Amino acid sequence: MPTQPFPHGVQSGSFRIDPHDALPSTNDRARELAAEGAADVAVIADRQTAGRGRLDREWASPPGGIWLSLLVRPSLPVDRVSILTFAAALAVVRAAAEAGVEARLKWPNDVLITDDEEERKLAGILTESSTRDGRLQWAIIGIGVNANVDRDDLPPGSISLQDLVGGVDRTAVTEALVAAFDRLRGDQAGVIEAWRTHAVTLGRRVEITTGDGSITGVATDIDESGRLLVETETGVERVAVGDCRHLRSA
Ligand code: BT5
């Protein structure tokens, strides 16, 4: 079983693939490439030894997953950077659909498999960026998809494509994901619209935890920058960043 399905130097649409068997974190490798001035590179590793989520949380990255970072230099105002996170999450949904899996989106960065009983996390996105004069200089969209990974090797609450449909062709799923992201990244309005269609968060009672505390209410919509609108007892709040918990309806 080859550990890394991509040969060196191969191109996937407009992205040059930078493949590795193992890295501490594909986002960190993408940062090095950003410092060298690169653009439109997809860093891929078969496993990560220090994969991370938001707020430096640990991201389990055993062999067989799709651990991928897209380095882009978009012409976007800083407050629209979430569009890239949403475009990546939608790209995962589309690639999963091609593998026969229906996935849904949770604000702000999760791709879930849901049924009436529970929600399990198939993929997560970690977007990091550098700004200059109010514009994005570069953005790195780190995408972790549990592809050919056993659920036992992942934290509780996770699920993989392998659990759902058996082993998948990682090259095909990765190429579908990168191609879908490439199509979506220039279409801000389309991304917002498509995100709404696939979201499980909208219409739900939620608890959002931010650095300033937490708010509870009903998530009604996202705005053009991807901020979540939450109807609370004291009015509508717009949340740009935070952790979201879906609550059972009262
Ligand atoms: C995320 O953070 O969901 C972003 C994950 C981004 C991972 C990619 S992999 C390629 C690139 N390189 C990196 O180093 N990172 C990116 P957050 O919303 O903070 O969720 C983190 C939480 O998800 C953890 O605290 C665990 O509870 C859970 N978790 C950890 N590993 C997981 C996995 N493989 N599958 C599902 N859930 C996981």
Side-chain angles (χ1 to χ4, degrees), residues 83-208:
I83 296 286
L84 300 172
T85 305
F86 288 6
L90 279 164
V92 174
V93 168
R94 293 188 179 169
E98 285 187 27
V101 168
E102 192 191 339
R104 309 290 303 275
L105 300 174
K106 177 181 168 203
W107 188 89
N109 69 323
D110 286 350
V111 182
L112 304 178
I113 303 298
T114 60
D115 59 28
D116 293 343
E117 301 284 296
E118 56 181 359
E119 299 177 335
R120 284 177 291 177
K121 185 155 161 170
L122 176 69
I125 321 282
L126 170 67
T127 300
E128 298 176 309
S129 59
S130 166
T131 60
R132 184 184 286 163
D133 302 329
R135 310 285 299 181
L136 288 174
Q137 204 178 0
W138 51 254
I140 293 166
I141 303 103
I143 307 169
V145 186
N146 299 323
N148 294 336
V149 185
D150 197 300
R151 204 197 292 189
D152 292 342
D153 294 327
L154 299 171
S158 311
I159 196 162
S160 70
L161 293 174
Q162 180 175 288
D163 294 329
L164 292 159
V165 290
V168 294
D169 178 343
R170 266 193 303 169
T171 309
V173 175
T174 306
E175 285 183 333
L177 198 171
V178 172
F181 178 84
D182 202 13
R183 282 194 302 273
L184 286 160
R185 62 170 153 167
D187 181 10
Q188 294 182 45
V191 165
I192 295 291
E193 199 44 54
W195 193 91
R196 287 185 179 117
T197 310
H198 294 283
V200 277
T201 303
L202 301 182
R204 294 287 300 262
R205 270 183 69 72
V206 295
E207 180 183 36
I208 310 288

Side-chain angles (χ1 to χ4, degrees), residues 25-27 48 50-54 57-61 67-69 109-110 121 124-126 142-144 146 154-155 158 243:
S25 158
T26 54
N27 268 36
Q48 297 182 114
R52 48 195 169 77
R54 294 176 305 146
R57 292 177 193 129
E58 209 174 299
W59 182 259
S61 314
W67 320 125
L68 164 73
S69 295
N109 69 323
D110 286 350
K121 185 155 161 170
I125 321 282
L126 170 67
I143 307 169
N146 299 323
L154 299 171
S158 311
D243 278 316

Side-chain angles (χ1 to χ4, degrees), residues 19-40:
H20 299 264
D21 286 340
L23 281 174
S25 158
T26 54
N27 268 36
D28 293 346
R29 166 72 184 149
R31 267 177 188 270
E32 290 171 12
L33 294 170
E36 293 167 11
D40 287 357

